[in-house]
Amino acid sequence: MTTETTSPAGTSLGAEQLGKFLYEMMLIRRFEEKCGELYTKGKIRGFLHLYTGQEACAVGSMAALEERDKIVTHYRDHGHALARGLDPDRVMAELFGKATGVSGGRGGSMHLYDVSKGFLGGYAIVAAHLPLAVGLGMASNMKKEGFVTLCVFGDGSVGEGEFHEALNLSVLWNTPTTFFCENNLYGMGVPFHASLSTDIPKLAAAYNMPAVSVDGMDVIAVHEATRKAVEHARSGKGPYFIEAMTYRYRGHSMSDPELYRLKDEIEEYRQRDAIERLKTHLMEAGQLDEARYQELIARVEQVVDEAVEFSEQSPQPGIDTLYDHLYKEPSDG
Amino acid sequence: MAEMRMREALREALREEMLRDETIFLMGEDIGLYGGSYAVTKGLLEEFGEARVIDTPIAESGIVGAGIGAAMGGLRPMVELMTINFSFLALDQIVNSAAKLYHMSNGQINVPLVIRMASGGGSQLAATHSHSLEGLYAHFPGLKVVCPSNAADAKGLLKRAFRDDNTVIFIEHTANYAIKGEVPDDPDFLIEFGVANILREGTDVTIVGYGGSVHQATRAATLLEEQEEISAEVIDLRTLRPLDMDTVIASVKKTNRCVIVEDAWRFGGFGGELAAQVMEHAFDWLDAPVARVACKDVPLPYNRNLEFAALPSEEDVVDAVLGMFKE
C-alpha cells in the first residue's frame, strides 16, 4: 500500500485534457446545484444524493477508461454518468421520471443506465454492485474482450460482507476490475472512523490486491491513479484498489439535517475544492484566462438549462407501458 | 429414452447445454472436485475443466452477484447454491439485482442466469436446513421459478432454463434426486415454462402440488381411489412463475373441488395465492372451500417423529379430500 500525491505541475496531461476536466467538473457542479433547486420545487422526487464536492473522482477516473470498458457505481451517480458522457438531457429527464430518461423513468436518480456507454448502472443497495463487477470481469476474461470494469463505491460499503466477498473473488479469479472507493468521510451520518477498525486500503492489501490512497479532490491525482489501475487490469494483472479521499459539500441526501458535522469542516474542504484548484493551476500556467473561464460558465449553464427544458418538455411514460421490460422475450431481440 | 435418477437427468441437462453453448459455465460451492453436494455436477469438472466448472468460496451473495455480472457481460452462468437455505444470504442479489435490472434499466440489461438449489425438509436436518421457499421466490416479479418433480421434467426444464433470457430460480426437492424415470435423450428436449402437467386424470377432486409435494398428492390419489372410490386429478405445476392457472381452473371446473399440497408453511404461502385464484376464477364451480395441506406453522424439528408430524403427508391430503365429501 502506498499513498500517492501528484501535484498538477508534475502531470503529463496536456492543456486540452485539463481543460476538459475543468469543464466536466463544472458541468457536474452546476448540474447538481440545479438538481437541488429542482428538488425543492418538487420537479425531482424520491431520494436525491448530490455529488457536489466529489467531482474530481468521477471526472478523473472516467477519463482513464476506454469506450469498451464498463462502469458500475453507487447511487450518488449523476457525476459518473455525466463524466462518462451520458447525455445530460436524458440524465436530467430520468430525474424528472420522464419517458426520455436514460432508464425510461423507471430508475430515477439512484438507477441510471446507459448500456451504449458501458454505464451499467447506479446501484442503490450499498455494495451490491461489487460482486457484479467481479462477474463482469469474469465475462471479460472468458470472452477475451479485454474490457475493464470500473467499480465505484463509497466508504460506507466497506462494512458490507459483499465488499469483502468481491475483493476476495476478484483476486482469486484475477478479474480486470478497478475498485474505486470514494471516501467522503461519512456513511450517511456516521464518520468512517467510527464504522471501520482499520484503514480502507489495508482491507484491499489484506486480499493481496495493490491499493493506493489518493487525494480525491485533485482530479489529476485521481486520473493518474486510475490510469495505472486500469492498465494493471488490462495487462492481465487483475484487480487494483484506489481510495480517493474526498468530501461532499451537501448532505447525504436532500433530507439530511447534517447534525453530524460542523459548518467549519465543510468550509475547510471547500478551500481544497477540485474545480478551484484546477482553475488556479491552469491560470497560473497560462492555459486559461478569465474570459475563457466565463465562457465555460456560460456553456455549462446553457447545457444544464437545455437539459431542464428537455426534461420539462418530455412526455411521461404511458401507463400502458407499466408492464414493459418485466421479462425479456425472444422477440425483444 | 433412458431410465435415470433426477440427479442424473439434471447432469445430462447441464452437460448437453454446456456442449451446445460455450457461454454457459457453472460455479458454486463444491460443484467441482467434490462433485456437488447432491452429486448433480459429478464428472463435469473433469469433462469441461476448471474454466467452466468453478469451485467457489462459501460466499453466497458474492457468487450470485458474480453470476449476475457475468450474465450482464454476455455469458450464461449457472450458480449452484448447494441448498436453498443458504440463498437467504444472497437474497438481495436475487431480488434487487437479478429480478429488477431488466425493468429498471428500461430493457437495456437482462440477466440470463440460472440459480440452482436443493430444497425441502424430511431429512432430519432441523430448522435451518429444511426450507421450502419456492413460493417466496415466486413472489418477486422479474424472476422465473421452476420446481421439477421428476427426472424427465428436471431435464427438460433445466435445458429450457438455459435458453431463457431472464433469471431462473431452479429449485430441486432433495427427496426427488433419487427418483428414477424415463428421460428423453433428444438434445432439444425442452419443457416450456408455464405449462402444468396433469399427472393423473380424475373427476371428483383436483389435487395441486409442485416440487416435492407432487408425490404426497399422487400417493393420496391412489389411496383415495383404492379405499374411497374417489377419483382425484393430480396437477404438477412444474413452474410457479409463470404459473399455469388455466390448467388448474379447467380441472376445478370439472371436479368442483380443489386441494393444494405444499411443503412450505401454510401461513402466507403460495397455496394461499392458488386458493385465491381458484376462488376468483372458479367460485361458482366450487362445491367446497379450497383446502390447503401444508407444513405446520413451526420451524422443522430434528426429531423424526416431530418432523413428520409437521410435514404434509398423503394421509393429510386424504383427510382434506374426505372432509370435502362430508355433509
Side-chain angles (χ1 to χ4, degrees):
Chain A
M1 187 185 78
T2 54
T3 300
E4 293 187 357
T5 49
T6 311
S7 65
T11 182
S12 58
L13 295 169
E16 192 184 338
Q17 178 75 295
L18 294 176
K20 192 166 165 279
F21 285 176
L22 182 64
Y23 168 74
E24 288 176 356
M25 290 197 292
M26 289 171 67
L27 175 63
I28 295 169
R29 175 76 49 94
R30 185 68 197 116
F31 189 94
E32 294 295 69
E33 286 169 351
K34 182 60 84 175
C35 287
E37 290 168 30
L38 292 164
Y39 195 85
T40 58
K41 289 178 184 166
K43 295 283 186 186
I44 298 172
R45 307 297 291 265
F47 285 140
L48 179 67
H49 308 86
L50 299 179
Y51 196 64
T52 322
Q54 301 181 212
E55 295 88 346
C57 291
V59 169
S61 62
M62 294 296 159
L65 299 179
E66 293 180 6
E67 199 180 323
R68 60 179 158 164
D69 295 332
K70 314 287 184 202
I71 298 115
V72 285
T73 185
H74 51 76
Y75 49 82
R76 195 182 303 282
D77 57 352
H78 309 173
H80 310 108
L82 295 173
R84 180 58 176 176
L86 271 66
D87 181 354
D89 289 1
R90 296 192 58 218
V91 174
M92 184 65 85
E94 185 58 35
L95 309 185
F96 274 63
K98 295 297 183 73
T100 54
V102 287
S103 313
R106 280 165 170 77
S109 168
M110 301 189 287
H111 313 104
L112 304 173
Y113 308 87
D114 188 344
V115 170
S116 72
K117 302 277 185 191
F119 195 84
L120 302 185
Y123 290 80
I125 303 296
V126 172
H129 56 301
L130 276 75
L132 272 56
V134 175
L136 284 159
M138 295 173 85
S140 179
N141 284 346
M142 288 189 202
K143 297 178 82 184
K144 299 185 171 39
E145 290 185 349
F147 67 80
V148 173
T149 300
L150 175 67
C151 177
V152 186
F153 49 94
D155 50 288
S157 295
V158 307
E160 293 281 4
E162 286 181 309
F163 170 90
H164 299 270
E165 293 182 21
L167 263 58
N168 181 41
L169 292 175
S170 72
V171 175
L172 282 175
W173 297 338
N174 198 44
T175 62
T177 315
T178 297
F179 290 101
F180 190 101
C181 178
E182 296 186 50
N183 185 350
N184 68 12
L185 309 185
Y186 296 93
M188 249 182 93
V190 179
F192 92 94
H193 281 304
S195 56
L196 184 66
S197 60
T198 182
D199 298 322
I200 293 174
K202 286 183 183 166
L203 297 172
Y207 291 103
N208 281 331
M209 190 185 303
V212 295
S213 187
V214 298
D215 180 356
M217 299 184 77
D218 177 348
V219 68
I220 297 164
V222 169
H223 179 68
E224 304 277 356
T226 315
R227 206 168 58 179
K228 204 167 156 185
V230 170
E231 274 169 19
H232 180 89
R234 194 143 12 236
S235 65
K237 292 179 186 158
Y240 196 105
F241 193 99
I242 298 167
E243 177 193 43
M245 300 305 299
T246 185
Y247 198 79
R248 63 169 154 73
Y249 298 159
R250 301 287 295 259
H252 166 75
S253 70
M254 294 301 286
S255 55
D256 180 359
E258 297 188 63
L259 301 174
Y260 51 86
R261 63 181 183 181
L262 299 169
K263 290 272 179 284
D264 288 357
E265 183 180 284
I266 305 173
E267 201 43 50
E268 189 186 312
Y269 277 94
R270 279 189 183 274
Q271 297 305 314
R272 297 173 45 200
D273 184 74
I275 296 174
E276 285 303 316
R277 278 162 81 181
L278 183 58
K279 178 190 151 199
T280 304
H281 164 70
L282 289 171
M283 284 189 164
E284 283 172 358
Q287 292 166 341
L288 180 75
D289 58 26
E290 188 58 31
R292 173 70 185 138
Y293 180 61
Q294 291 302 323
E295 273 175 37
L296 289 177
I297 290 176
R299 199 167 134 213
V300 300
E301 193 70 31
Q302 188 189 348
V303 170
V304 172
D305 284 350
E306 283 173 7
V308 174
E309 180 63 17
F310 174 82
S311 304
E312 292 275 13
Q313 300 301 324
S314 287
Q316 300 282 349
I319 298 299
D320 60 340
T321 68
L322 181 61
Y323 290 100
D324 284 5
H325 313 304
L326 191 49
Y327 294 97
K328 185 172 182 185
E329 303 301 337
S331 56
D332 295 333
Chain B
M1 296 284 259
E3 192 184 50
M4 62 181 78
R5 298 178 197 279
M6 188 176 92
R7 63 162 56 87
E8 293 152 357
L10 289 164
R11 190 185 309 144
E12 280 293 297
L14 293 173
R15 230 191 123 249
E16 287 177 14
E17 291 304 291
M18 288 178 81
L19 289 170
R20 178 187 63 83
D21 182 349
E22 62 178 21
T23 66
I24 293 173
F25 74 98
L26 317 181
M27 62 173 158
E29 296 161 355
D30 279 307
I31 65 164
L33 292 170
Y34 194 97
S37 282
Y38 293 92
V40 171
T41 53
K42 197 174 170 189
L44 297 179
L45 172 65
E46 290 77 2
E47 182 171 357
F48 292 97
E50 57 188 21
R52 292 182 74 192
V53 181
I54 303 171
D55 274 322
T56 68
I58 303 165
E60 288 78 11
S61 195
I63 62 177
V64 170
I68 293 166
M72 292 163 71
L75 298 173
R76 288 186 172 267
M78 181 223 76
V79 174
E80 180 176 320
L81 279 184
M82 197 175 288
T83 87
I84 203 164
N85 306 290
F86 314 144
S87 73
F88 288 121
L89 290 155
L91 201 55
D92 177 67
Q93 286 295 352
I94 297 170
V95 173
N96 272 321
S97 300
K100 293 184 182 139
L101 271 166
Y102 192 58
H103 184 78
M104 284 210 304
S105 69
N106 203 31
Q108 295 182 77
I109 300 170
N110 64 306
V111 184
L113 169 67
V114 178
I115 304 176
R116 285 183 43 249
M117 36 205 182
S119 140
S123 304
Q124 285 194 267
L125 302 178
T128 61
H129 277 54
S130 302
H131 285 99
S132 293
L133 304 176
E134 293 89 339
L136 173 78
Y137 286 108
H139 184 61
F140 302 109
L143 296 178
K144 295 191 177 182
V145 178
V146 181
C147 36
S149 70
N150 61 70
D153 282 7
K155 184 177 179 186
L157 290 166
L158 185 55
K159 285 170 68 70
R160 172 63 183 75
F162 279 107
R163 302 178 193 212
D164 205 282
D165 287 329
N166 305 281
T167 296
V168 178
I169 306 295
F170 200 93
I171 300 173
E172 301 155 10
H173 197 287
T174 52
N176 293 346
Y177 280 127
I179 296 177
K180 284 185 176 175
E182 289 292 323
V183 178
D185 42 24
D186 174 4
D188 285 318
F189 166 62
L190 303 174
I191 294 177
E192 261 319 300
F193 292 167
V195 182
N197 188 19
I198 300 173
L199 287 174
R200 178 190 176 110
E201 294 201 6
T203 53
D204 300 328
V205 60
T206 300
I207 307 177
V208 183
Y210 57 85
S213 68
V214 166
H215 304 292
Q216 290 101 301
T218 309
R219 288 194 296 265
T222 306
L223 291 173
L224 286 164
E225 184 176 49
E226 289 171 355
Q227 298 172 5
E228 310 289 342
E229 293 182 355
I230 290 173
S231 164
E233 181 146 302
V234 177
I235 296 177
D236 176 359
L237 292 173
R238 283 181 170 156
T239 64
L240 303 191
R241 247 192 211 264
L243 175 64
D244 179 7
M245 250 351 254
D246 290 349
T247 296
V248 175
I249 297 299
S251 176
V252 172
K253 285 182 176 176
K254 182 175 72 174
T255 64
N256 310 114
R257 294 174 185 86
C258 183
V259 176
I260 295 153
V261 193
E262 60 183 342
D263 289 332
W265 290 299
R266 174 190 174 98
F267 189 95
F270 193 77
E273 172 65 27
L274 290 170
Q277 290 206 33
V278 170
M279 183 199 70
E280 286 161 2
H281 301 294
F283 184 78
D284 290 337
W285 282 264
L286 286 173
D287 286 346
V290 175
R292 286 179 289 158
V293 178
C295 186
K296 306 293 189 299
D297 213 12
V298 291
L300 276 183
Y302 163 68
N303 176 276
R304 184 173 171 81
N305 295 338
L306 292 175
E307 183 179 34
F308 278 76
L311 286 169
S313 67
E314 52 260 42
E315 290 79 15
D316 295 335
V317 180
V318 168
D319 288 347
V321 172
L322 293 180
M324 295 179 152
F325 287 91
K326 281 184 187 152
E327 289 307 314

